[in-house]
Amino acid sequence: MPLHALGEVDWLREVLCGLLDNAVRFTDSGEVVASVTADRTSGRRVLFHAEVSDTGCGMDAAALARLFGPRKGGRFIPVDGTNGAGSLGVAHRLVELMDGRLGCSSAVGMGTTSWFSVPLDLPD
């Protein structure tokens, strides 16, 4: 990771905290692991990548499809009636505004891995 990069630090923090919050909320036992990397994509840019994995309850393919499928009124549709999709919806919108991508893989009983990648400029 470079010591300094130019970007929306508050937005990056909000997205990472939202992913961590969901992971902790849906993990009764086991662990939550976060990792952050930055890969240089050109002379003055890096691709910031954060990933949060948990050993929580997980989701099936249908729930993931609903969560990441078409959004109703620009909002994520909650998978299980909780408000967990709310922070994910905010995270997704912030990542879009930073020209990045957000994704998730999951399996029932095995946990979930959520990630996002955002391009950042390096200072002079």
Side-chain angles (χ1 to χ4, degrees):
M1 285 289 303
L3 289 177
H4 301 282
L6 304 174
E8 296 290 342
V9 67
D10 291 334
W11 290 4
L12 292 169
R13 184 181 303 115
E14 178 78 21
V15 173
L16 184 55
C17 286
L19 297 183
L20 285 165
D21 179 61
N22 275 350
V24 169
R25 186 177 324 142
F26 294 107
T27 303
D28 291 331
S29 64
E31 64 185 11
V32 173
V33 177
S35 65
V36 176
T37 60
D39 297 315
R40 192 174 293 263
T41 59
S42 69
R44 306 215 58 78
R45 284 183 74 92
V46 295
L47 185 64
F48 177 88
H49 181 81
E51 187 171 289
V52 176
S53 297
D54 66 60
T55 57
C57 57
M59 295 177 277
D60 62 20
L64 269 177
R66 283 193 310 275
L67 189 60
F68 283 96
R71 292 177 278 167
K72 187 175 188 175
R75 296 180 167 197
F76 278 83
I77 301 167
V79 171
D80 60 359
T82 68
N83 64 359
S87 60
L88 187 58
V90 169
H92 187 262
R93 182 66 182 134
L94 291 175
V95 168
E96 281 181 338
L97 290 170
M98 293 184 284
D99 295 325
R101 295 185 55 221
L102 181 137
C104 184
S105 62
S106 188
V108 174
M110 300 297 289
T112 301
T113 298
S114 301
W115 60 269
F116 71 97
S117 296
V118 175
L120 299 175
D121 293 322
L122 296 173
D124 293 335

